[in-house]
Amino acid sequence: MTVISEVPSPFCGIGTDDLTIKVDGVTLAVLENGCAVNTPAFELPITDTSARVDGKEVSLDVAVAKAAALLKNTSLPVFGGCATDVNGMRALLALADRSGAVVDNINFTGARNNFLALQDSGWINTTLAEVKNRCDLLLVVGTDVEAFAPRFFERYLWNPESMFVADTSQRQVIYLGKAPSGSASTSPNGQTALVHTCSNEDLPAVVSVLRALLKGQPIRAQSVGGIAIADLQSIADKLKAAKYSVVTWAAGALAYAHAELTVQMVCEMVKEINNMNTRSAGLPLAGKEGDQTANQVCGWTTGYPARTRFSRGYPEYDPFLNDSNVLLQSGEADALLWVHAFNAKSVPPVTNLPSIVVGRSGMVFTKEPDVFIPVGTPGIDHAGHAYRMDNVVAIRLKKLRDSGLPSTADVLNAIEQALGEAQHAN
C-alpha cells in the first residue's frame, strides 16, 4: 500500500492537481481533495481484465486481429467517443487515416456551439491562471459551474492569494440563466452570488438585451425572460466598473437550436467591454472526457477539430455532416469503433453494424460489441498528457498502479499495424 500526493486529474477539466490517493494493489481511494467528479472516477474498480470477441474472452492479439479484420473492407467506419490522452488520440488519428474513418468526439455537438462562433467572428478568452490572479467579477451564463467542476470556485475564485486582487473574498459572482446547485459560489466572507434565472429558451433574448444595455441602447420593455431590465442594467454597470471581468459558459449546457448565436453574442459582448476602459475575457467550460485533448491533437495533426473524415485520403471537416450519430442512423457508416478510456458509463450507441470498443474496464453494454478491449485509464494505469479546459496546459498525468491493462495508444497502434499488414497482403 502506498499514498501518492499531488495527483493530477484528467476527469474534471479544470486541471486539479492536488489529490492525495491511497493505492492498495489495484484499488484506489481518494484521501484528500476529492470531489463529486474526481472521487468516483478514480475509485472505479477494475472488473474487466481480458479482451472479448463475440462475448468470449480472448488474448489481446486475437482481439486486435479481429478488430483489424472488421475494419479491413469498410468504406466509412465511424470512430466515436475519442476520449483518451494525447498519445491515444494520435494513434486514433493514424488508424482513422489508414481506414478512411470519420472521427467524432463524444462532446462535439455541444462544442460545435463554440467552434461555429470562433470560426465566424473570433473571441477573446482567458486562462485559469488569469482567472485566479486577475478576475474581480465572474458572470456565469446559462450553466451551473459547480455541477460541472465542483472545485472551480475553491481553486480559482476563493484562492487565498492572488497576484493582482488584494482580497479574493470580495470577488463578485453573478449567475444569469441557471441557478447554482450548491453554495460553492458563496465567498469565504459569506457573500452569496447574485442569481437571475430564466429558461434556456429565453437566454438568447436576455443576453441580447444585456449587450444592448452595455452599449447604451434604450430598452423600452420592463423585463425580458422574467428578468427585470433594471437588474440587467445593474449587471451591465458592474461589468463596466470591474477591472477584469470574466464571462463563462458551457456550450453543452446551451441545449437549444442555434445556441452558437448565443455564444457569439457573449463573445461579441466581451470584445465590446474591452473598448470601455476595462478588461474582460471569456472562459468556455470544457475539458471533460478528453474533448479538449481530441480537438487539440486533431487540430495540430489535420488543421481541423474533431468531426473530421478521412474517406477521400485527406482530412475533411464538417461539424454537421460528420456527426457520428447521424451517420450511424442514416446507414452511411458501415462500422463503429468506440474509444473511451475515462468513463465506464459512456458506452457506444446501440448498432447492428460491426462494432469495436476500446474502453475503460467496467463498461456494461446493452448489446455486446464484436470486439471489446479494456484499456488502462490515463492518469491511473499509465502516464500521459491531457489538455485542461483553457487549452494552454497539457496536464502531465501520473501512473498510480500496475493493472496490466494496455494503453489506448498501444491497442490502436497494434490495430493500425495489423490493418496495414492485411491491406498490403491483398
Side-chain angles (χ1 to χ4, degrees):
M1 184 182 72
T2 59
V3 174
I4 304 175
S5 60
E6 298 183 350
V7 175
S9 170
F11 303 110
C12 63
I14 64 170
T16 304
D17 58 2
D18 61 351
L19 280 74
T20 299
I21 295 181
K22 181 177 71 174
V23 183
D24 188 358
V26 296
T27 301
L28 304 182
V30 178
L31 301 181
E32 295 178 8
N33 299 325
C35 68
V37 171
N38 285 325
T39 299
F42 274 99
E43 295 183 349
L44 184 72
I46 293 176
T47 57
D48 301 296
T49 57
S50 298
R52 299 196 298 266
V53 171
D54 298 329
K56 298 178 181 179
E57 291 190 0
V58 297
S59 69
L60 178 59
D61 289 343
V62 170
V64 165
K66 178 65 174 180
L70 291 175
L71 293 173
K72 179 181 176 183
N73 296 316
T74 55
S75 299
L76 190 67
V78 165
F79 289 7
C82 301
T84 180
D85 62 348
V86 168
N87 282 340
M89 193 62 196
R90 292 175 71 180
L92 185 147
L93 289 172
L95 180 57
D97 188 29
R98 170 78 67 182
S99 58
V102 170
V103 174
D104 184 19
N105 174 260
I106 188 173
N107 293 332
F108 195 91
T109 297
R112 182 175 61 194
N113 296 329
N114 284 344
F115 282 115
L116 292 175
L118 171 62
Q119 291 162 348
D120 185 67
S121 54
W123 56 21
I124 299 174
N125 283 348
T126 191
T127 67
L128 290 170
E130 289 283 87
V131 174
K132 185 175 183 178
N133 287 304
R134 296 185 184 275
C135 175
D136 57 349
L137 169 62
L138 179 70
L139 174 61
V140 184
V141 178
T143 190
D144 180 4
V145 177
E146 186 175 347
F148 180 90
R151 298 187 65 203
F152 175 85
F153 289 99
E154 169 199 340
R155 288 181 59 83
Y156 298 108
L157 261 290
W158 312 134
N159 45 293
E161 296 182 357
S162 175
M163 293 178 65
F164 304 104
V165 179
D167 183 0
T168 58
S169 67
Q170 297 299 314
R171 286 169 159 161
Q172 300 179 74
V173 180
I174 303 173
Y175 276 85
L176 186 62
K178 185 174 290 186
S181 57
S183 58
S185 58
T186 300
S187 73
N189 64 6
Q191 177 179 317
T192 58
L194 297 176
V195 180
H196 301 286
T197 60
C198 69
S199 67
N200 264 0
E201 291 73 18
D202 289 326
L203 197 59
V206 170
V207 174
S208 297
V209 170
L210 176 60
R211 183 186 177 194
L213 292 170
L214 276 162
K215 297 171 70 175
Q217 300 296 322
I219 302 296
R220 296 187 178 183
Q222 297 300 309
S223 66
V224 57
I227 301 175
I229 299 300
D231 290 333
L232 292 177
Q233 182 65 63
S234 176
I235 296 174
D237 293 341
K238 291 178 186 296
L239 288 168
K240 291 179 182 179
K243 292 182 179 179
Y244 192 105
S245 61
V246 174
V247 184
T248 189
W249 70 92
L254 307 179
Y256 50 86
H258 302 297
E260 73 276 4
L261 299 179
T262 303
V263 174
Q264 187 174 42
M265 185 73 67
V266 169
C267 294
E268 293 303 297
M269 182 178 72
V270 167
K271 293 179 189 177
E272 291 159 0
I273 296 172
N274 280 283
N275 291 323
M276 299 177 182
N277 297 317
T278 184
R279 294 183 64 188
S280 185
L283 185 73
L285 298 173
K288 288 190 171 183
E289 298 191 315
D291 51 7
Q292 296 295 75
T293 303
N295 289 315
Q296 281 279 8
V297 178
C298 208
W300 80 56
T301 304
T302 70
Y304 302 112
R307 204 157 275 185
T308 296
R309 71 169 64 195
F310 295 83
S311 56
R312 296 187 186 181
Y314 53 87
E316 295 179 285
Y317 168 71
D318 193 301
F320 297 98
L321 297 181
N322 293 339
D323 185 331
S324 58
N325 291 315
V326 172
L327 294 174
L328 291 171
Q329 293 167 8
S330 67
E332 186 175 354
D334 54 4
L336 172 65
L337 169 65
W338 184 261
V339 176
H340 208 304
F342 295 120
N343 187 352
K345 294 181 179 179
S346 293
V347 295
V350 177
T351 177
N352 291 323
L353 297 175
S355 57
I356 306 158
V357 176
V358 177
R360 186 168 185 179
S361 172
M363 284 187 169
V364 177
F365 306 103
T366 302
K367 181 185 178 190
E368 177 74 15
D370 295 281
V371 178
F372 172 53
I373 302 177
V375 291
T377 299
I380 295 179
D381 300 298
H382 61 86
H385 295 84
Y387 279 87
R388 69 183 191 186
M389 57 180 283
D390 56 6
N391 279 327
V392 298
V393 173
I395 307 164
R396 297 180 64 182
L397 304 173
K398 296 181 179 181
K399 178 179 179 179
L400 305 180
R401 66 186 178 193
D402 292 312
S403 64
L405 293 171
S407 70
T408 303
D410 289 340
V411 170
L412 296 181
N413 283 332
I415 296 174
E416 195 265 339
Q417 182 177 354
L419 179 59
E421 291 172 353
Q423 290 172 338
H424 289 311
N426 285 344

